[in-house]
């Protein structure tokens, strides 16, 4: 067996720490946004809270992918994190519905850039045989941020004002930026930034090599858009005061499974892990649909977190497996385009189906479970890919 070098380097863990702070920053405000938008008079636009965010993230992906392949991974990560800081400071200033919706659109550019650069950076410094495991660890830190952010944000909002939450989110992004300044660039052949790099031809928008895992991801994360949009209101409906609690539970439940899923996919292939992931997603949506108590809702959060913890690092590793080195940024950008599209479509459709009527909660979550079932059907007919991975070892 060939020796595989360790990827446990200082730069790897600095990147992971920066990811933790980045995800903490923009997730800190999410549980409070539906009520905040309602206080501005925009209760009919709750579906746009996530949809606009994911729309701009999706639109920016082809550019972030190309720039990551041309000017470097770190500048792309830096830009996204700076957006988090600036927009966080503007929320307390633009206190009207159209201004808020504009900021949600602008805020999406942060996730359109930073995760693309970060995933490409990890793929650059990690050997093939450890790719799933490394993606699992990196996503673990991101998940810790996603768990800490809503929980801390909900706690701050319960003691101080929503504006305090916005300011805390902005300054959390500052610490992420400071860490990125310490990292060494991994792109060997860099080009200077120029306007020509912002011109895209049709071949630079989507990387066809990674369409299959990207489509499966779209169907899987539809449920994520539903959860982000509807769970705050559903939590309130069930009498749960801290609307970030479900987010904390599902994120914490995803932590350990990410490491197991990543290592398992390295050994047995990506497809078999994703099959299990979408089954868990279907179960989670059905349990939420029939939840009538706090305990049942939070139990469904454990199932949901397990699903997210399995499909997140496994899909990223599968996309990197299928991509060419020189188009790695484009491949990852394609994956994120489908990810944001799935979340955005899930947010819009769930907001439309819900229509601020508690009687529609069950319909929303069962529809989401149906999308996960479609992902399972596709995966069911894909031949197991263990031999593909074993042949590289």
């Amino acid at each position: 067996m060939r020796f595989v070098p360790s990827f446990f380097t200082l730069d790897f863990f600095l990147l992971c720490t920066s990811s933790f702070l980045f995800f903490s920053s923009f997730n800190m405000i999410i549980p409070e946004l539906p009520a905040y938008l309602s206080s501005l008079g925009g209760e009919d636009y709750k579906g746009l809270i996530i949809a606009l965010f994911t729309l701009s993230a999706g639109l920016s992906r082809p550019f972030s992918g190309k720039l990551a392949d041309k000017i470097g991974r770190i500048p792309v990560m830096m830009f996204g994190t700076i957006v988090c800081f600036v927009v966080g400071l503007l929320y307390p200033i633009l206190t009207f519905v159209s201004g808020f919706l504009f900021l949600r659109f602008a805020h999406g550019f942060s996730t359109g850039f930073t995760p693309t650069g970060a995933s490409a950076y990890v793929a650059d410094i990690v050997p093939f045989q450890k790719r799933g495991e490394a993606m699992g660890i990196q996503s673990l830190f991101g998940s810790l941020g996603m768990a800490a952010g809503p929980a801390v944000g909900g706690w701050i909002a319960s003691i101080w004002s929503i504006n305090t939450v916005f300011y805390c989110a902005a300054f959390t992004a500052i610490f992420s930026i400071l860490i990125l300044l310490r990292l060494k660039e991994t792109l060997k052949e860099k080009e200077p930034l120029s306007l020509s790099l912002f011109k895209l031809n049709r071949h630079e928008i989507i990387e066809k090599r990674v369409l299959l895992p990207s489509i499966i991801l779209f169907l899987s994360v539809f449920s994520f858009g539903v959860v982000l949009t509807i769970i705050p209101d559903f939590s309130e409906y069930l009498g749960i005061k801290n609307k970030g609690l479900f987010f904390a539970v599902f994120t914490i439940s995803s932590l350990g499974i990410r490491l197991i899923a990543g290592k398992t996919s390295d050994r047995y292939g990506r497809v078999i892990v994703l099959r299990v992931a979408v089954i868990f997603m279907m179960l989670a949506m059905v349990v939420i649909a029939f939840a009538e108590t706090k305990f049942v809702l939070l139990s469904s959060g454990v199932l949901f977190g397990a699903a997210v913890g399995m499909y997140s690092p496994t899909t990223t590793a599968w996309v990197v497996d299928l991509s060419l080195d020189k188009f790695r940024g484009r491949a990852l950008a394609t994956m994120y385009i489908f990810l944001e599209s799935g979340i955005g479509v899930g947010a819009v459709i769930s907001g439309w189906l819900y229509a601020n009527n508690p009687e529609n909660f069950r319909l929303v979550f069962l529809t989401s479970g149906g999308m996960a079932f479609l992902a399972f059907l596709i995966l069911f007919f894909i031949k197991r890919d263990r031999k593909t991975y074993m042949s590289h070892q």
Side-chain angles (χ1 to χ4, degrees):
M1 182 177 289
R2 194 170 60 199
F3 171 73
V4 180
S6 172
F7 60 85
F8 293 105
T9 62
L10 177 60
D11 280 356
F12 176 75
F13 282 107
L14 284 174
L15 178 69
C16 289
T17 304
S18 179
S19 293
F20 166 79
L21 294 168
F22 171 77
F23 280 98
S24 295
S25 173
F26 77 85
N27 279 283
M28 193 176 294
I29 65 175
I30 285 178
E32 303 303 319
L33 292 183
Y36 178 70
L37 180 57
S38 295
S39 73
L40 299 179
E43 59 275 357
D44 293 333
Y45 302 101
K46 288 179 181 177
L48 295 181
I49 291 173
I50 302 302
L52 287 173
F53 186 92
T54 54
L55 173 63
S56 58
L59 291 173
S60 64
R61 291 293 182 184
F63 297 98
S64 66
K66 182 176 182 179
L67 291 172
D69 289 333
K70 298 293 186 180
I71 68 171
R73 322 305 196 190
I74 293 176
V76 167
M77 288 189 278
M78 287 286 292
F79 176 79
T81 312
I82 290 170
V83 168
C84 259
F85 170 68
V86 173
V87 173
L89 294 179
L90 291 176
Y91 278 115
I93 298 174
L94 302 184
T95 55
F96 47 94
V97 173
S98 59
F100 173 84
L101 295 177
F102 166 75
L103 289 177
R104 288 307 294 163
F105 181 79
H107 208 161
F109 285 97
S110 63
T111 56
F113 275 77
T114 299
T116 302
S119 296
Y121 192 96
V122 172
D124 289 343
I125 63 176
V126 173
F128 178 90
Q129 297 91 333
K130 295 288 186 178
R131 189 169 287 157
E133 182 180 359
M135 295 298 181
I137 293 174
Q138 186 214 1
S139 67
L140 169 64
F141 278 79
S143 292
L144 284 169
M146 291 178 69
V152 171
W155 174 73
I156 292 173
S158 67
I159 299 176
W160 293 288
S161 67
I162 182 66
N163 285 349
T164 306
V165 181
F166 292 141
Y167 292 133
C168 288
F171 283 98
T172 299
I174 282 289
F175 291 106
S176 179
I177 293 170
L178 293 176
I179 292 173
L180 291 176
L181 292 172
R182 166 66 180 75
L183 292 178
K184 302 172 185 175
E185 180 59 59
T186 56
L187 185 66
K188 296 179 181 178
E189 298 180 7
K190 294 184 291 183
E191 297 182 16
L193 181 64
S194 64
L195 288 177
S196 63
L197 293 179
F198 292 91
K199 296 178 182 178
L200 298 173
N201 61 51
R202 59 189 181 90
H203 301 295
E204 293 176 316
I205 299 175
I206 297 292
E207 180 58 48
K208 294 181 179 179
R209 291 173 176 269
V210 300
L211 276 177
L212 180 59
S214 298
I215 290 171
I216 293 168
L217 183 64
F218 172 92
L219 296 170
S220 301
V221 300
F222 181 94
S223 299
F224 210 100
V226 172
V227 163
L228 291 174
T229 304
I230 305 300
I231 285 296
D233 280 10
F234 191 50
S235 297
E236 189 174 19
Y237 174 75
L238 295 181
I240 302 174
K241 186 177 180 181
N242 187 339
K243 289 171 283 189
L245 191 58
F246 178 89
F247 296 91
V249 169
F250 90 66
T251 310
I252 291 171
S253 74
S254 76
L255 301 183
I257 199 72
R258 288 176 183 270
L259 303 180
I260 298 170
K263 294 187 74 170
T264 302
S265 73
D266 283 337
R267 185 168 184 179
Y268 298 106
R270 318 303 185 194
V271 171
I272 192 169
V273 174
L274 289 175
R275 286 175 186 166
V276 177
V278 294
I279 289 173
F280 271 69
M281 183 62 78
M282 286 187 287
L283 289 174
M285 291 299 104
V286 171
V287 174
I288 295 175
F290 292 95
E292 295 181 350
T293 66
K294 177 180 178 180
F295 175 78
V296 175
L297 178 64
L298 297 183
S299 297
S300 68
V302 175
L303 292 171
F304 184 82
V308 173
M310 283 186 273
Y311 74 62
S312 179
T314 305
T315 304
T316 306
W318 192 10
V319 165
V320 175
D321 292 342
L322 296 175
S323 66
L324 300 176
D325 289 351
K326 63 179 179 179
F327 297 134
R328 186 168 283 164
R330 183 195 302 175
L332 288 163
T334 298
M335 180 193 75
Y336 283 117
I337 288 171
F338 278 80
L339 181 143
E340 258 100 35
S341 298
I343 295 175
V345 171
V348 171
I349 291 180
S350 63
W352 174 69
L353 289 175
Y354 169 44
N356 292 308
N357 184 353
E359 293 181 1
N360 295 329
F361 280 132
R362 187 165 294 175
L363 171 64
V364 171
F365 294 119
L366 290 178
T367 299
S368 181
M371 297 295 282
F373 179 68
L374 289 178
F376 177 77
L377 287 180
I378 296 174
L379 287 163
F380 182 79
F381 290 104
I382 298 176
K383 190 175 181 180
R384 282 181 59 184
D385 55 340
R386 180 186 175 189
K387 292 181 180 179
T388 302
Y389 300 107
M390 296 300 288
S391 67
H392 285 79
Q393 299 191 33

